[in-house]
Amino acid sequence: MEEKENKNTNINSDETPENESNSESLENTADRSEENNESNNILPVEDDDNVSDDVREIENDFHKLVADMASKNEEDILKSDVQDWDGLVDNSRQDAQEFVLNESSSVSDEKLESIEIMEIDEDDERLCSVCHKRLKMTADGVTYEYCRRCRNELLETKYNPKSVIAFLLSCVVFVFAVALGATAVLNGINVSKAQKLVNKSKLNSAYNLYSAMFSSADQTASSYAPLSIDTVFGVNLGEKAVKSYVNTMYKLGNVQYIGDVVDKYFKESELEKSSNSKLKKYKETFSQLRTAATSANVIITDLQASDEITKSEVEKAVSDLENLKKEGKYNNAFISYYQYYAYTLLDGEYENQLKYLDIVKKGEPELTVFYRTAYANVYLCQGEYEKCINECDEAIKENEEDFSAWRIKIKALYRQGKYDEALDLSDKAISIAKAIYETSDQQDQGTPKDITYAYSIYVERAILYVLKNDMKSAQDAIDKAYQGQLTADTAFVYAMINKKNGNDEAYDDIMSQLKTYNVELPEVCQKYIDGKVTFEDIFVKGKVEWY
Amino acid sequence: MKIMYIISKYITFPGAFLRCFWEQFMCKLQKVAIENNKCLQVNEMCGHIEHETIDKNVKSFVNAFVPGLLVFIAGAVLLTAPLVNLLFIGIMQTSLKVIMYVMLYLALSMMTNIFPSTEDAIFMWENYKQLGKGLKILFAPAAAIMYVGSYLEKYCVTFFINAIIAAVILIL
């Protein structure tokens, strides 16, 4: 038993015959001592009355010392910032050895010799870093850094309140961020898509997409408006989108809306910045155009009111418009556009038309939509097909979805007798029309996009098929054009083809519609129906006043 | 460098606290004893919590990897809106601009606190080395990122990278 106790207290005495006699029970007692240690008892429990008084005395003193030192060390540790636990344990062990050696000086040498300080295996000597008690291996063979009691307490450590607050706030911010992030990403995708369309010169599609986005943003903002949080939760389309939208409108010539959009998103002071110089210019252009249009439209309306427009009437109108220029408050380029338009009301005034178009081009070179197809049309009428096609190509390059340019080019081709080439071109134009981005509010329910946007191309296809003597295809094409939009030229070609194909019911229907609008079928159309002229005479060789 | 490290943790305290929360959460989930749950302290454990050494491979890996991953996800989500709005779309409303700046700060504070402490990374690395060949290959990228990242964070490299990112976003 002495052996057992000495082991527990790290003190061992030499084996005696008495000890040898008890050697059989040593293993059992050692096992029990393990059990004691498992319950974290660093000090042994004395249960053997056979221990000599001297040894017992020394042991008692030693226990006392260890307990004192433990408390003393703990105080020292608490006072100091020392974190070297292993070092402290080593120091304690040395202190204990010294103490035992000193104290044992009072003990007889014989007994002193029987006592030694045991060299402890490092693995067995790990102490709990919280309570400094000796650690034991657990049943599953793992040795923790803490004793079981301390470890259980540490496992129950509560969350740091600040961390919990951070977590809860992050949850709220996370939800908010997901909403804002998703909106931003969706807007970003749409803006990116619209800008790509602008870069691909698909201006109509870009305009449609921007219109849908801004309309949706306005709706969202208005729904938040009563809560006064529209600026936070409202859809942020961003500066780049607004600028691109305005730029697209400018290129398309939809200048009437530019002022409203610019005023809505930019303050006057913001427009003074160099980065917004283009916006400022666009807005000024819009303002000038509106002023010019207001005054010029009065003159043009008076001119158009005449039953038969004469050259002198046109010249008077042009002169009146020239007087407006002299007033100095109008943009001369825009007034010149109206002068060009006045001359288009007369046949053969191509030189005058070109003269005023040159002024428009010089004054507002960026507003190509005002002069590009106008030039092409003049060149077509003059029979200068190469020039006409060049202007059309430029217009298509600037806006692939400019179907008036496609139409003029098709006309220029078949007037040169290039029917197949013209037909191929019309196929291409129709495929572009089919790919136009379309918003639900702009969609004509049930009408395919190619018919909605490229109905005029179908008129040209119908003419081309007639020229190629394919009356069935011509009928199909003109039916589509009729489905798209009923204009004068569509109605006239529709009437001719239907009459020629024996569709009297459709012919009568279109004639009654023309009557409603107080429009008569041109003489040349009647001649075609009567078989006096051919489509080639009308559309290739001849010059048709309504066409 | 230790002072810089501590300053960086104090500057990015929202991310540091969130990381500490997830670290503690993972410790509790895996029954790992926590000795000190104080987050912002003036030593090399600033921004991390002190817990007992984890001997088991998976536990060690999870404890080093998952808190950072969760903080990274939160940071990435928070970064999306300011990144798209400030960098790409452009913001016209002042109030929204302020919100985006705050979100940008929060996001980058989280991105600065995604890596484990060097101590955890070393233990994780030692445990990783004991894995089988297949698992080693599977976990190699994550283990390497965590190991290297912990040193980058220790020497404030992640902090400066994020500060530069923030500056670029704001300037552009």
Side-chain angles (χ1 to χ4, degrees):
Chain A
M1 289 312 295
E2 192 175 297
E3 279 267 336
K4 176 199 84 180
E5 287 159 11
N6 285 338
K7 185 180 177 185
N8 284 344
T9 55
N10 304 332
I11 299 169
N12 203 357
S13 59
D14 288 336
E15 280 192 359
T16 60
E18 189 183 344
N19 287 339
E20 280 172 358
S21 68
N22 292 331
S23 62
E24 195 180 334
S25 64
L26 280 177
E27 285 181 11
N28 296 333
T29 51
D31 287 341
R32 264 184 282 154
S33 123
E34 285 292 318
E35 284 169 19
N36 285 336
N37 282 332
E38 283 212 354
S39 62
N40 296 315
N41 286 331
I42 195 164
L43 301 178
V45 179
E46 290 182 19
D47 54 356
D48 195 337
D49 294 331
N50 296 327
V51 180
S52 68
D53 289 344
D54 288 340
V55 173
R56 183 174 292 171
E57 195 183 333
I58 290 167
E59 282 178 358
N60 285 339
D61 288 340
F62 176 75
H63 298 154
K64 214 171 167 184
L65 170 75
V66 171
D68 285 349
M69 286 186 66
S71 63
K72 191 184 170 214
N73 274 342
E74 199 168 341
E75 283 170 15
D76 290 345
I77 290 157
L78 287 172
K79 281 177 193 169
S80 69
D81 291 332
V82 178
Q83 298 288 321
D84 185 6
W85 297 97
D86 293 338
L88 280 174
V89 171
D90 289 341
N91 291 340
S92 301
R93 194 187 301 155
Q94 284 172 13
D95 290 346
Q97 286 172 339
E98 283 168 14
F99 172 81
V100 171
L101 290 169
N102 292 337
E103 287 298 311
S104 58
S105 59
S106 59
V107 183
S108 65
D109 288 345
E110 279 178 74
K111 286 189 176 152
L112 187 61
E113 282 169 9
S114 70
I115 299 169
E116 68 174 21
I117 304 301
M118 186 181 166
E119 279 301 315
I120 303 150
D121 181 10
E122 284 297 319
D123 289 342
D124 291 336
E125 193 55 16
R126 292 177 66 190
L127 298 182
C128 169
S129 50
V130 178
C131 69
H132 325 305
K133 288 180 181 175
R134 190 175 167 192
L135 294 174
K136 279 291 142 190
M137 198 176 277
T138 60
D140 55 354
V142 179
T143 307
Y144 292 110
E145 289 174 41
Y146 316 101
C147 67
R148 187 179 295 173
R149 190 170 59 84
C150 292
R151 192 167 183 278
N152 284 340
E153 281 176 11
L154 291 178
L155 282 172
E156 295 300 317
T157 307
K158 287 185 178 167
Y159 283 101
N160 183 334
K162 287 174 190 169
S163 296
V164 175
I165 291 168
F167 169 70
L168 293 174
L169 285 175
S170 74
C171 287
V172 175
V173 174
F174 188 83
V175 173
F176 187 62
V178 166
L180 279 177
T183 315
V185 169
L186 285 176
N187 288 338
I189 290 168
N190 277 337
V191 170
S192 166
K193 208 190 275 181
Q195 281 176 344
K196 271 183 188 170
L197 289 170
V198 172
N199 294 339
K200 285 181 182 175
S201 303
K202 292 175 183 268
L203 298 186
N204 294 44
S205 291
Y207 176 74
N208 289 350
L209 184 55
Y210 276 130
S211 298
M213 281 158 55
F214 278 84
S215 164
S216 167
D218 286 346
Q219 279 178 6
T220 312
S222 62
S223 64
Y224 283 125
L227 301 168
S228 302
I229 53 170
D230 56 311
T231 50
V232 177
F233 290 97
V235 179
N236 172 47
L237 290 169
E239 201 176 327
K240 286 180 187 173
V242 175
K243 284 181 178 175
S244 183
Y245 182 39
V246 170
N247 192 36
T248 307
M249 285 196 286
Y250 189 79
K251 282 182 178 174
L252 279 172
N254 295 343
V255 282
Q256 64 269 35
Y257 302 118
I258 287 176
D260 298 339
V261 175
V262 173
D263 286 343
K264 188 175 176 183
Y265 292 98
F266 292 91
K267 292 173 192 165
E268 280 296 329
S269 56
E270 286 175 328
L271 290 176
E272 296 304 320
K273 290 179 187 170
S274 59
S275 58
N276 294 331
S277 59
K278 264 194 169 182
L279 284 178
K280 191 183 174 188
K281 189 195 162 197
Y282 292 161
K283 194 188 164 189
E284 280 169 2
T285 307
F286 152 74
S287 177
Q288 288 166 356
L289 180 65
R290 190 168 56 180
T291 316
T294 309
S295 302
N297 268 332
V298 176
I299 297 167
I300 295 295
T301 310
D302 284 349
L303 179 65
Q304 286 177 318
S306 176
D307 288 339
E308 198 166 331
I309 301 167
T310 60
K311 191 172 180 182
S312 61
E313 283 174 330
V314 170
E315 280 173 347
K316 186 184 175 297
V318 169
S319 171
D320 289 345
L321 289 165
E322 197 65 35
N323 289 335
L324 286 180
K325 285 184 187 173
K326 286 174 188 165
E327 288 179 25
K329 57 180 182 179
Y330 300 104
N331 182 320
N332 284 355
F334 292 135
I335 298 293
S336 293
Y337 181 79
Y338 283 95
Q339 288 175 313
Y340 149 78
Y341 182 76
Y343 276 114
T344 60
L345 299 173
L346 286 176
D347 288 333
E349 290 294 331
Y350 306 126
E351 288 308 319
N352 280 325
Q353 288 176 30
L354 288 173
K355 177 185 153 188
Y356 288 109
L357 281 178
D358 287 343
I359 298 171
V360 176
K361 188 179 179 179
K362 199 177 173 186
E364 289 294 336
E366 283 183 40
L367 274 173
T368 55
V369 71
F370 276 85
Y371 60 81
R372 194 72 79 188
T373 49
Y375 269 123
N377 213 28
V378 176
Y379 292 138
L380 179 77
C381 294
Q382 284 183 320
E384 294 191 47
Y385 300 122
E386 283 310 310
K387 275 187 177 178
C388 170
I389 289 170
N390 285 342
E391 286 296 336
C392 290
D393 286 341
E394 283 297 313
I396 290 166
K397 201 173 157 189
E398 283 154 10
N399 179 16
E400 199 182 54
E401 293 164 346
D402 182 352
F403 293 103
S404 58
W406 284 99
R407 186 182 190 182
I408 294 168
K409 192 177 175 182
I410 291 166
K411 280 182 186 177
L413 286 173
Y414 72 64
R415 281 194 186 182
Q416 293 176 83
K418 298 173 181 174
Y419 299 157
D420 290 331
E421 209 177 314
L423 210 55
D424 290 344
L425 205 67
S426 71
D427 284 339
K428 199 175 174 187
I430 285 164
S431 69
I432 289 167
K434 280 177 182 172
I436 284 185
Y437 180 89
E438 199 168 47
T439 53
S440 56
D441 57 334
Q442 288 176 322
Q443 228 164 3
D444 185 2
Q445 293 295 323
T447 308
K449 281 191 278 185
D450 55 328
I451 294 173
T452 306
Y453 287 96
Y455 69 92
S456 59
I457 302 296
Y458 278 108
V459 177
E460 300 309 322
R461 276 174 80 83
I463 294 167
L464 273 164
Y465 282 124
V466 175
L467 290 172
K468 293 181 78 173
N469 292 319
D470 185 352
M471 293 307 287
K472 191 179 175 296
S473 299
Q475 184 68 55
D476 290 343
I478 200 63
D479 283 347
K480 283 182 179 171
Y482 178 73
Q483 194 186 340
Q485 194 174 329
L486 185 63
T487 57
D489 49 358
T490 312
F492 299 156
V493 177
Y494 183 81
M496 287 191 284
I497 291 173
N498 273 292
K499 190 68 180 171
K500 203 75 179 170
N501 282 341
N503 300 329
D504 290 343
E505 200 178 322
Y507 173 78
D508 292 341
D509 180 51
I510 194 70
M511 290 306 287
S512 64
Q513 282 193 57
L514 287 172
K515 207 172 179 181
T516 313
Y517 292 108
N518 209 18
V519 177
E520 285 181 13
L521 194 68
E523 196 183 334
V524 70
C525 297
Q526 196 55 54
K527 281 182 180 174
Y528 172 76
I529 292 165
D530 296 340
K532 290 176 183 170
V533 291
T534 62
F535 254 49
E536 199 175 359
D537 295 330
I538 302 169
F539 296 105
V540 181
K541 294 176 188 169
K543 286 178 183 174
V544 189
E545 70 270 21
W546 50 263
Y547 188 64
Chain B
M1 193 47 77
K2 187 179 160 186
I3 291 169
M4 273 306 298
Y5 171 78
I6 291 164
I7 290 170
S8 77
K9 290 290 169 185
Y10 271 81
I11 290 172
T12 61
F13 72 93
F17 275 118
L18 190 63
R19 182 180 170 90
C20 283
F21 173 84
W22 285 119
E23 264 189 34
Q24 196 164 353
F25 179 81
M26 290 313 297
C27 285
K28 281 187 169 290
L29 201 71
Q30 301 193 98
K31 296 198 181 336
V32 174
I34 297 158
E35 195 173 327
N36 184 2
N37 70 354
K38 199 179 173 193
C39 187
L40 292 180
Q41 40 195 327
V42 190
N43 58 35
E44 66 277 3
M45 286 305 288
C46 187
H48 299 280
I49 59 157
E50 289 176 45
H51 56 78
E52 68 180 341
T53 311
I54 308 167
D55 296 331
K56 290 186 177 174
N57 297 345
V58 177
K59 262 191 179 183
S60 169
F61 186 84
V62 167
N63 213 60
F65 185 68
V66 175
L69 180 70
L70 293 170
V71 175
F72 174 78
I73 290 169
V77 171
L78 251 70
L79 193 60
T80 309
L83 203 66
V84 175
N85 279 321
L86 291 169
L87 206 59
F88 181 67
I89 296 180
I91 302 171
M92 304 184 80
Q93 303 98 319
T94 313
S95 52
L96 190 63
K97 224 177 232 179
V98 172
I99 288 171
M100 288 302 136
Y101 291 154
V102 173
M103 281 176 74
L104 181 68
Y105 162 70
L106 289 174
L108 293 179
S109 83
M110 286 173 192
M111 290 301 192
T112 313
N113 288 280
I114 57 174
F115 295 112
S117 65
T118 46
E119 197 182 334
D120 281 353
I122 289 166
F123 275 113
M124 181 275 303
W125 191 250
E126 291 303 320
N127 288 325
Y128 165 77
K129 286 197 280 190
Q130 292 165 19
L131 290 174
K133 200 178 177 183
L135 287 173
K136 245 185 190 174
I137 293 168
L138 187 69
F139 291 118
I145 287 168
M146 279 191 290
Y147 189 72
V148 174
S150 69
Y151 281 97
L152 293 179
E153 200 164 295
K154 185 181 177 182
Y155 294 107
C156 301
V157 178
T158 51
F159 173 74
F160 286 117
I161 288 172
N162 284 314
I164 290 166
I165 290 170
V168 168
I169 291 172
L170 294 177
I171 291 166
L172 289 178

